[in-house]
Amino acid sequence: MDKSLHLTVCVLTALLLLRESSQAGEEKHPEVLPEDPYVMVRGAELEGYCMELLAALAGMLRFQYRVRVVGDGQYGAVAAGGNWSGMIGEILRREADIAVAPLTVTSAREEVVSFTTPFLQTGIGILLRKDTASQDMSFFHFLSPFSKETWTALLFAYLLTCFCLFLVARLSPCEWNEPKNEENHFTFLNSLWFGAGALALQGATPRPQALSVRVIAVVWWLFTLALLAAYIANFTALLSSGSEQLPIQTFEDLVKQRNLEFGTLEGSSTFYYFKNSKNPIHQMIYEYMEKRREHVLVKTYQEAVQRVMDSNYAFIGESISQDLAAARHCNLIRAPEVIGARGFGIATTQASPWTKPLSIAVLKLRESGDLDYLRNKWWESSCLRQSRERWGPLEPPALGGLFLTLGIGLALGILAALAELSSSSRRAAAHAKKSCCSVFTEEICTRLRIKGAARQSQDTPGKANA
């Protein structure tokens, strides 16, 4: 109890409120004001993630605090004379006891101050606009549930099964007793039709009679049933997702593409991360940004977000800030890969007795789920609700290839019918010694019940003879 009273009287905590946006350790810092979601001004009060975190820590450790903004508007970097600026400088000069802010834990800062266990984890990610990041929906989108190899294997299995049906039906005496006098219904074409009927879950003739043929038929039916179940499940998942998988999943994908420019904050720690990295992909990213620095490097985080929304530009920066941008702007999305894992910690003096208690308090907040609650609260997105409101019937482009296939099938069916009718007309014309065109026209008129046209065609020869 005495210790708690001592803390209440003696500890004055200065809260340094800024948003870092991946600028830890940079030499030039633009002036930054308190910003959503870390700190927001609501009238005369301050609210935000950092304010609620500080209140939770004060409640656990029983101390009082006074809040003020860092004087020079910086997070902390080494100046030319070796002195630290920003929050780190104020901690070193004992102008503040602790700094609660999105302050990145770096090796240079760890040498002069102490950090608690990180309360937020972040890294380097890629921010994209959805319409530039998503692939155009394929016209044959209905083929997407299966890979090319799967479709090839399905076609091979279909042909092999139909051939086995044809062969077994030929060999089995139960399908035909007298081959010289009977006709086997399981011709190869009929076998193909039987297999296609099973794929469509439709009954098709001929019906198998021999046990051997029925075994093959049952196995094929079970195969097609499982295949269709897998297809329907995958196709439903693709349609409900609303888009294809992002083509830019990793930084390697970003380097290989040519449609998007990409860059980061000028002079930020993200820029120097790629400069110092030995990874070949990271070196390629740095060389690209260095050669085009006048066009791809931005001055502020707000400029970066606006450029992503307005042009074909991908922003490389702090992943947690990109998550916030994606939550606030529903047309933005962050690519899955995150590199350069880092954390935001609370800074104290190296000799401060509060580093360990604060670290333990942060761990307790994490174990109790309070940190996750704060993260979800202040990074809450309204995009899911908006997407549900915009949801409607499937648009034709998603099934365009399927309709095209149906149209082609109908056209081929009509052409095949005309070809069959033409062949029959040629035989009839040769037998009756008439013109093939006249017989073909008569056949069409008869089958379509066009009596007037048929009479006119019949009256024309009579008038000509008169």
Side-chain angles (χ1 to χ4, degrees), residues 418 421-430 433-446 453-454 457-458 461:
L418 294 176
L421 185 58
S422 176
S423 178
S424 176
S425 299
R426 283 196 300 269
R427 290 194 298 269
K433 297 182 179 181
K434 293 183 179 181
S435 171
C436 181
C437 292
S438 62
V439 174
F440 183 74
T441 304
E442 291 175 4
E443 287 288 340
I444 291 180
C445 293
T446 301
S457 64
Q458 293 175 358

Side-chain angles (χ1 to χ4, degrees), residues 285-345:
I285 293 176
Y286 167 72
E287 292 174 2
Y288 174 89
M289 294 190 297
E290 179 64 27
K291 291 179 181 178
R292 300 167 177 82
R293 60 183 306 132
E294 298 296 330
H295 302 285
V296 300
L297 298 184
V298 293
K299 302 295 184 181
T300 64
Y301 183 80
Q302 291 75 15
E303 178 187 350
V305 173
Q306 191 64 40
R307 185 168 177 180
V308 172
M309 292 192 295
D310 295 340
S311 62
N312 292 334
Y313 180 78
F315 174 62
I316 302 175
E318 181 185 294
S319 62
I320 195 169
S321 299
Q322 293 175 349
D323 291 338
L324 178 66
R328 298 294 184 266
H329 306 280
C330 297
N331 61 333
L332 300 182
I333 189 171
R334 180 176 62 81
E337 185 181 35
V338 176
I339 61 175
R342 61 186 73 177
F344 292 155

Side-chain angles (χ1 to χ4, degrees), residues 130 133-145 238 241-247 249 333:
K130 287 183 178 179
S134 60
Q135 293 175 332
D136 295 333
M137 184 172 289
S138 172
F139 199 63
F140 293 92
H141 188 64
F142 71 98
L143 296 176
S144 300
L238 283 175
S241 66
S243 63
E244 292 281 346
Q245 188 182 35
L246 290 177
Q249 297 281 328
I333 189 171

Side-chain angles (χ1 to χ4, degrees), residues 213-262:
V213 180
R214 289 180 177 179
V215 169
I216 295 177
V218 169
V219 172
W220 176 245
W221 290 339
L222 294 175
F223 174 80
T224 55
L225 185 63
L227 184 74
L228 289 174
Y231 177 86
I232 293 173
N234 290 348
F235 194 39
T236 303
L238 283 175
L239 293 177
S240 61
S241 66
S243 63
E244 292 281 346
Q245 188 182 35
L246 290 177
I248 299 178
Q249 297 281 328
T250 64
F251 285 87
E252 183 177 359
D253 296 334
L254 184 64
V255 172
K256 291 180 178 179
Q257 59 82 38
R258 293 295 181 266
N259 297 326
L260 298 176
E261 293 183 322
F262 54 88

Side-chain angles (χ1 to χ4, degrees), residues 266-277:
E266 183 177 4
S268 65
S269 61
T270 300
F271 180 82
Y272 290 107
Y273 173 86
F274 288 101
K275 179 179 180 179
N276 299 326
S277 176

Side-chain angles (χ1 to χ4, degrees), residues 36-330:
D36 177 26
Y38 301 102
V39 174
M40 294 172 291
V41 179
R42 293 291 185 266
E45 300 294 331
L46 294 178
E47 64 178 25
Y49 180 92
C50 288
M51 296 301 300
E52 292 201 16
L53 174 63
L54 182 61
L57 294 174
M60 295 180 65
L61 299 179
R62 300 179 181 179
F63 63 83
Q64 295 179 344
Y65 57 92
R66 178 173 55 87
V67 178
R68 70 181 182 85
V69 178
V70 64
D72 59 6
Q74 300 183 17
Y75 288 92
V78 182
N83 296 322
W84 282 82
S85 61
M87 291 181 282
I88 303 299
E90 293 199 5
I91 293 292
L92 293 175
R93 293 190 297 270
R94 307 281 178 159
E95 297 174 6
D97 296 297
I98 66 174
V100 181
L103 186 62
T104 304
V105 180
T106 65
S107 58
R109 291 170 177 172
E110 190 72 49
E111 290 180 356
V112 294
V113 298
S114 295
F115 282 96
T116 65
T117 300
F119 56 86
L120 271 180
Q121 296 293 336
T122 184
I124 300 175
I126 308 170
L127 184 66
L128 307 158
R129 196 172 73 244
K130 287 183 178 179
D131 57 349
T132 59
S134 60
Q135 293 175 332
D136 295 333
M137 184 172 289
S138 172
F139 199 63
F140 293 92
H141 188 64
F142 71 98
L143 296 176
S144 300
F146 291 156
S147 64
K148 295 179 181 178
E149 293 77 9
T150 304
W151 285 115
T152 303
L154 174 59
L155 178 60
F156 177 77
Y158 166 69
L159 295 176
L160 180 62
T161 303
C162 293
F163 177 76
C164 290
L165 283 172
F166 167 74
L167 180 62
V168 172
R170 286 277 173 176
L171 296 177
S172 175
C174 296
E175 288 297 332
W176 55 352
N177 295 324
E178 298 179 6
K180 295 182 179 180
N181 301 328
E182 296 182 10
E183 181 181 357
N184 190 294
H185 296 294
F186 270 98
T187 63
F188 189 68
L189 290 179
N190 286 345
S191 299
L192 291 175
W193 177 247
F194 182 86
L199 280 173
L201 297 182
Q202 301 294 322
T205 56
R207 299 184 183 278
Q209 299 178 2
L211 177 62
S212 56
V213 180
R214 289 180 177 179
V215 169
I216 295 177
V218 169
V219 172
W220 176 245
W221 290 339
L222 294 175
F223 174 80
T224 55
L225 185 63
L227 184 74
L228 289 174
Y231 177 86
I232 293 173
N234 290 348
F235 194 39
T236 303
L238 283 175
L239 293 177
S240 61
S241 66
S243 63
E244 292 281 346
Q245 188 182 35
L246 290 177
I248 299 178
Q249 297 281 328
T250 64
F251 285 87
E252 183 177 359
D253 296 334
L254 184 64
V255 172
K256 291 180 178 179
Q257 59 82 38
R258 293 295 181 266
N259 297 326
L260 298 176
E261 293 183 322
F262 54 88
T264 186
L265 291 172
E266 183 177 4
S268 65
S269 61
T270 300
F271 180 82
Y272 290 107
Y273 173 86
F274 288 101
K275 179 179 180 179
N276 299 326
S277 176
K278 303 301 181 182
N279 187 304
I281 300 298
H282 299 172
Q283 281 296 307
M284 294 174 64
I285 293 176
Y286 167 72
E287 292 174 2
Y288 174 89
M289 294 190 297
E290 179 64 27
K291 291 179 181 178
R292 300 167 177 82
R293 60 183 306 132
E294 298 296 330
H295 302 285
V296 300
L297 298 184
V298 293
K299 302 295 184 181
T300 64
Y301 183 80
Q302 291 75 15
E303 178 187 350
V305 173
Q306 191 64 40
R307 185 168 177 180
V308 172
M309 292 192 295
D310 295 340
S311 62
N312 292 334
Y313 180 78
F315 174 62
I316 302 175
E318 181 185 294
S319 62
I320 195 169
S321 299
Q322 293 175 349
D323 291 338
L324 178 66
R328 298 294 184 266
H329 306 280
C330 297

